[in-house]
Amino acid sequence: MQSAATFANPDILRIAYAANIFILVPVCWGMIAPTAAATVFQGAVAESAGLRLLVLSLWSAILAASICGLIAPAFSAPLLLVQIFYKTLWLALFVWPAFRAGAPVPWGVAGTFAAIVVVWPILLVLALRG
């Protein structure tokens, strides 16, 4: 079965996977601590065990999939699309309204998400074109 997209240079995708690993190892490790969500979200999102577990689960799955992406970059490319979509939604539906309302915004996470939303599509295009 042929994939819908053929990457001319799938090695470019390894940049995104390596960046995910570099970002997520310390973040996931830190999320294990009881006060981690408050630290990661800079006090702008209410701390709760459920939120911490949900975020830790999602980011740990992205971390594991990124490790797989280093081995099979083209196969793991949908992971990058998922990241682009969910991070764009979070920026549009949480960060932007909070910013407009003058509410606290976790700028560390928001900045990282914004960078990913901009850079991952560029890497995908470059990988497709070679």
Side-chain angles (χ1 to χ4, degrees):
M1 180 156 104
Q2 283 275 346
S3 65
T6 302
F7 290 96
N9 190 354
D11 289 337
I12 290 175
L13 300 177
R14 286 191 171 102
I15 296 168
Y17 304 128
N20 280 343
I21 294 165
F22 178 78
I23 293 165
L24 288 172
V25 165
V27 170
C28 287
W29 182 260
M31 289 296 290
I32 296 169
T35 59
T39 302
V40 169
F41 290 111
Q42 302 166 300
V45 177
E47 158 71 313
S48 75
L51 171 68
R52 192 171 55 252
L53 183 57
L54 176 67
V55 171
L56 175 61
S57 299
L58 172 63
W59 288 347
S60 294
I62 292 170
L63 175 60
S66 293
I67 292 168
C68 294
L70 290 177
I71 298 162
F75 179 79
S76 300
L79 166 71
L80 303 178
L81 292 174
V82 167
Q83 285 186 274
I84 293 164
F85 290 130
Y86 99 80
K87 290 172 193 297
T88 299
L89 286 171
W90 189 76
L91 290 167
L93 300 177
F94 177 77
V95 172
W96 180 247
F99 173 72
R100 298 238 6 224
V105 172
W107 289 113
V109 174
T112 302
F113 279 22
I116 288 171
V117 165
V118 170
V119 174
W120 279 202
I122 294 169
L123 292 177
L124 285 164
V125 169
L126 290 173
L128 283 167
R129 292 186 180 172

